[in-house]
Amino acid sequence: MSSHNPPDQPSSSNSGRHKLQPLLPQVSRYESQKSRDWNTFLQYLKTLNPPVTTSRFEHTHVLSFLNYLDQFGKTKVHNQACVFFGQPDPPSPCTCPLKQAWGSLDALIGRLRAAYEEHGGGSSHSNPFGNGWIRIHLREVRESQAKARGIPYRKKRKRKKNRNDVVVKRDISKSSSHNHNR
């Protein structure tokens, strides 16, 4: 006796292989990060005593969230009392804390700001992630990390065009392939 199945009925060993998955739109890396960050923030609010709902949180909760995240940081930030304070490449390890890098926090706040507005948080003026205290905190983190590493942070400024500047148009395909070879 042969166990031959008709073509329209899969055998039991292949039954899971040929199922068609519904096609879901691909979510960008940014969108998935934004969703993960939003869910992490909501989880954080639930851990507070007493728990805070999304309709009740304020910029102070955002600041405490940023401080909470420092425990998972990977950037060495030297204290002023450390012998390596202000040295870009310290010769040996020290006991200074690891913290979240300023750039990571800045990007996180941008994603959370967008997520807040997408989840019906209201206007950008009432967005706790865009509060002035959050901007001040990020600026202080940036400056303190730059000082601790001995690398002053300087904002890149656009150079003003002079009347005598010549605009040179380049073939983008040539310049982009040239940049990949560096």
Side-chain angles (χ1 to χ4, degrees):
M1 248 179 8
S2 156
S3 65
H4 179 69
N5 292 337
D8 60 335
Q9 293 180 359
S11 69
S12 62
S13 63
N14 289 338
S15 64
R17 257 190 235 165
H18 297 292
K19 288 185 180 179
L20 293 176
Q21 295 289 329
L23 293 176
L24 298 174
Q26 289 289 337
V27 178
S28 71
R29 181 177 172 196
Y30 171 79
E31 290 296 328
S32 62
Q33 272 187 311
K34 183 171 56 171
S35 176
R36 252 191 333 267
D37 293 340
W38 181 249
N39 290 331
T40 302
F41 180 70
L42 294 181
Q43 281 301 118
Y44 172 77
L45 291 177
K46 289 178 185 176
T47 66
L48 297 177
N49 193 9
V52 178
T53 63
T54 53
S55 61
R56 297 263 185 219
F57 81 90
E58 301 173 347
H59 74 278
T60 55
H61 299 107
V62 176
L63 290 171
S64 67
F65 178 64
L66 295 178
N67 289 327
Y68 161 79
L69 290 177
D70 272 340
Q71 67 183 312
F72 308 109
K74 296 176 183 150
T75 300
K76 177 73 75 169
V77 180
H78 299 288
N79 296 318
Q80 283 188 322
C82 178
V83 295
F84 302 130
F85 182 81
Q87 292 185 24
D89 298 312
S92 62
C94 66
T95 60
C96 292
L98 294 173
K99 294 189 174 194
Q100 290 289 334
W102 165 77
S104 298
L105 293 177
D106 189 47
L108 171 70
I109 289 298
R111 291 189 300 269
L112 288 173
R113 217 174 148 166
Y116 176 82
E117 290 177 14
E118 285 176 12
H119 288 88
S123 72
S124 59
H125 299 295
S126 64
N127 190 329
F129 298 101
N131 182 282
W133 289 107
I134 305 299
R135 289 193 300 274
I136 289 169
H137 176 77
L138 289 174
R139 185 178 13 174
E140 288 173 352
V141 168
R142 181 188 68 208
E143 290 170 358
S144 70
Q145 289 185 4
K147 284 179 188 173
R149 292 183 305 152
I151 304 169
Y153 177 82
R154 288 192 177 88
K155 190 172 185 176
K156 293 180 182 177
R157 299 186 188 269
K158 291 185 178 180
R159 188 174 68 102
K160 290 184 180 180
K161 289 185 179 180
N162 292 331
R163 256 188 313 153
N164 299 333
D165 285 350
V166 177
V167 177
V168 178
K169 291 185 180 180
R170 291 194 287 175
D171 184 4
I172 294 174
S173 61
K174 287 180 183 177
S175 65
S176 64
S177 65
H178 176 70
N179 289 340
H180 290 294
N181 295 335
R182 288 184 182 178

